[in-house]
Amino acid sequence: MKKNVKKITALILALSMSLLAMAGCSGTQADSSSESGAPEAGPAAGSEEESSSTAESSAAADKALLVVSFGTSYNDNRDLTIGGVENALQQAFPEYEVRRAFTSQIIIDKLKERDGLSIDNVTEAMDRLVADGVREVVVQPTHVMSGYEYDDVVAEVTPYQDKFDSLKVGRPLLDADADYDELAAAITAATKEYDAEGTAIVFMGHGTEHEANAAYAKLQEHISAAGHGNYFIGTVEATPSLDDVLALVKDSGAGKVVLLPLMIVAGDHANNDMAGDEEGSWKNAFEQEGFEVECVLKGLGQYESVQKMFVTHAKALIAK
């Protein structure tokens, strides 16, 4: 009888150890599966492994800061610009989990097909926040101004107001008058190495038919008022146009032009419309007029001073 008891006890112990080992293997497999399907998270944009672990912890988050950007398919520049803004926000607000959403479905689809990279659009990101049980949400767009893209973000987010204890939407980079002074100071300081006699520094913005397009002229006024007469701002799709800027640069007497994007990322517009070799690019247009041209593919999101502006916007929003 005692021998039977000992055998049964040993068998139970062996079975228990086997079940524990199986549970451990099962948990590891579940984690691995979850990581492979998780959307890219903002602060860990430079590493797929890190982004997966950030997304994996999302279910436990009580507060989330959703950073909404137009997006770009240029991977390296995305990490430096959008990723730079997201990292700055994460460092400033460690109590919040920073998440990412893009507004361009074309870019989202391209990244999924080309790189196997999953990034939420705004609606998907909001649904995920609800499903994860997040209670406090701060949405911080990275748009330069409150144009159509920004309006769309507000429209998509507003219906979720009653889904959270708190839902706040931040303002774009250029909002109050102080923002124009701050951005003017930021971009002139960041480009001071190019600021020399006979050199025109030209920033290319996107442009929009929205009334917010007036932000470009206003920023130009603030830059000129600060004494930077050799800085010029134009747009790809609105006014001031390339022709407008060309005329102003000619009148300035400059012999060299430095081209930079006035956009959060140095993506397709910067690489092709601004710095491309094809007919119609800003680079070619200035070269054909006899200017020496240098292109700098550095988006606004890469500037630490601009990253701090978004942190300031989010801080004011959170404090409300």
Side-chain angles (χ1 to χ4, degrees):
M1 183 66 178
K2 290 181 179 179
K3 289 182 179 180
N4 288 338
V5 171
K6 288 182 179 179
K7 287 181 179 180
I8 292 171
T9 302
L11 184 60
I12 292 172
L13 286 172
L15 183 60
S16 298
M17 293 298 290
S18 176
L19 288 172
L20 284 171
M22 290 174 64
C25 293
S26 173
T28 302
Q29 291 171 352
D31 289 346
S32 175
S33 174
S34 172
E35 287 176 5
S36 65
E40 183 183 4
S47 164
E48 292 303 317
E49 182 178 351
E50 290 176 358
S51 69
S52 298
S53 63
T54 301
E56 184 182 348
S57 66
S58 63
D62 184 55
K63 298 180 179 181
L65 202 165
L66 180 64
V67 183
V68 180
S69 306
F70 178 81
T72 180
S73 60
Y74 287 76
N75 293 344
D76 291 343
N77 197 264
R78 182 178 65 246
D79 293 344
L80 292 171
T81 55
I82 295 173
V85 172
E86 292 166 338
N87 285 329
L89 288 166
Q90 185 65 86
Q91 291 174 16
F93 309 104
E95 70 275 22
Y96 284 80
E97 180 197 357
V98 173
R99 300 191 183 190
R100 168 182 292 177
F102 284 175
T103 59
S104 173
Q105 192 63 45
I106 292 175
I107 289 174
I108 290 172
D109 293 342
K110 181 176 182 178
L111 291 174
K112 180 66 175 177
E113 180 180 354
R114 187 190 71 187
D115 304 328
L117 184 61
S118 296
I119 297 177
D120 286 340
N121 59 34
V122 177
T123 297
E124 290 169 340
M126 296 303 292
D127 286 341
R128 193 183 299 277
L129 288 165
V130 173
D132 288 346
V134 177
R135 303 314 311 159
E136 296 184 28
V137 177
V138 172
V139 178
Q140 179 57 63
T142 65
H143 298 86
V144 175
M145 62 195 65
S146 55
Y148 292 120
E149 287 284 340
Y150 177 83
D151 290 346
D152 287 344
V153 171
V154 175
E156 284 191 74
V157 167
T158 300
Y160 291 86
Q161 194 71 52
D162 62 350
K163 304 289 186 181
F164 308 100
D165 293 341
S166 174
L167 173 60
K168 300 177 180 179
V169 184
R171 300 298 297 166
L173 185 65
L174 292 174
D175 183 32
D177 284 343
D179 295 332
Y180 288 85
D181 287 330
E182 194 167 353
L183 183 57
I187 62 178
T188 52
T191 55
K192 62 183 178 181
E193 63 183 288
Y194 309 109
D195 189 0
E197 184 71 28
T199 297
I201 300 173
V202 177
F203 278 90
M204 184 192 77
H206 186 279
T208 175
E209 294 180 359
H210 193 284
E211 61 183 10
N213 192 74
Y216 294 109
K218 186 173 181 178
L219 181 60
Q220 178 73 72
E221 291 174 2
H222 282 253
I223 291 175
S224 299
H228 302 284
N230 59 328
Y231 279 73
F232 304 93
I233 296 174
T235 68
V236 181
E237 298 185 2
T239 57
S241 66
L242 171 59
D243 289 340
D244 294 331
V245 177
L246 267 170
L248 291 172
V249 173
K250 285 180 182 178
D251 289 344
S252 75
K256 178 180 179 179
V257 173
V258 178
L259 296 174
L260 305 97
L262 191 70
M263 305 176 187
I264 297 300
V265 303
D268 187 65
H269 283 303
N271 282 270
N272 296 310
D273 295 316
M274 187 188 84
D277 293 323
E278 66 275 8
E279 187 69 24
S281 73
W282 286 35
K283 173 177 173 285
N284 272 344
F286 277 101
E287 286 179 340
Q288 288 171 8
E289 293 294 333
F291 293 98
E292 175 190 351
V293 179
E294 179 177 354
C295 298
V296 181
L297 294 171
K298 186 175 182 179
L300 295 178
Q302 197 170 339
Y303 301 151
E304 186 177 344
S305 51
V306 172
Q307 295 169 8
K308 288 180 178 178
M309 287 181 67
F310 282 115
V311 169
T312 298
H313 284 14
K315 187 173 295 184
L317 181 65
I318 291 171
K320 286 184 179 179

